[in-house]
Amino acid sequence: MEINKIDKQKLYHEILSAAEIIFIRDGYSATTMDSIAEKVELSKATLYLYFKTTEQLFYSILENKIDIYVNKLKTDLSSAISLNDLMERIVHRQLNFLSENKYFFKLVISEQGKFNSVPANIFKKIYVDKQFKFYRSEERRVGKECRSRWSPYH
């Protein structure tokens, strides 16, 4: 029986959640595909269908977290009523995001030097670059409105 797309996505997210727990508990270097497969109650072969390495899995967790953050930020910013409100929402969402994920990001920062195939600045690559890309798109969307609507010179 073929697993449908929804079941595959659900399993993908279950793997991410279980792997995050293992990474936080054991650290990046000590986490194995065996321990993740056991936590998710999958065969290692099935786990390898989704992720080829623990490093790929680790970065997938990070990227998923950033995607969730950007989506929440989009929702927050869609109803901003002033430039100050916009900035407050950005700062508030960012602080909440880091607070909600503090153990994972502590791990990211403390274990940066242990990543092999991707440069140690992956946090910047995924987090900062995605965030700036989002801000640039938001600037195009609301920038003109903010400048004309809330400008002290208008």
Side-chain angles (χ1 to χ4, degrees), residues 64-117:
N64 185 62
K65 288 185 172 300
I66 303 307
D67 290 341
I68 290 168
Y69 165 73
V70 168
N71 288 332
K72 286 181 178 180
L73 190 59
K74 283 179 185 177
T75 301
D76 290 349
L77 298 184
S78 66
S79 60
I81 58 172
S82 69
L83 189 54
N84 283 342
D85 185 34
L86 186 81
M87 295 307 293
E88 284 178 20
R89 287 170 188 245
I90 289 170
V91 170
H92 179 73
R93 174 54 59 201
Q94 191 166 50
L95 291 174
N96 279 349
F97 172 70
L98 293 172
S99 177
E100 290 166 359
N101 297 287
K102 63 185 167 195
Y103 298 113
F104 185 76
F105 286 110
K106 181 179 176 185
L107 176 68
V108 169
I109 292 166
S110 69
E111 305 233 7
Q112 264 187 3
K114 298 178 181 168
F115 307 128
N116 297 322
S117 65

Side-chain angles (χ1 to χ4, degrees), residues 40-55:
V40 159
E41 298 177 352
L42 291 174
S43 71
K44 204 160 89 170
T46 302
L47 182 58
Y48 277 109
L49 291 174
Y50 286 85
F51 303 98
K52 301 299 178 211
T53 65
T54 55
E55 189 167 4

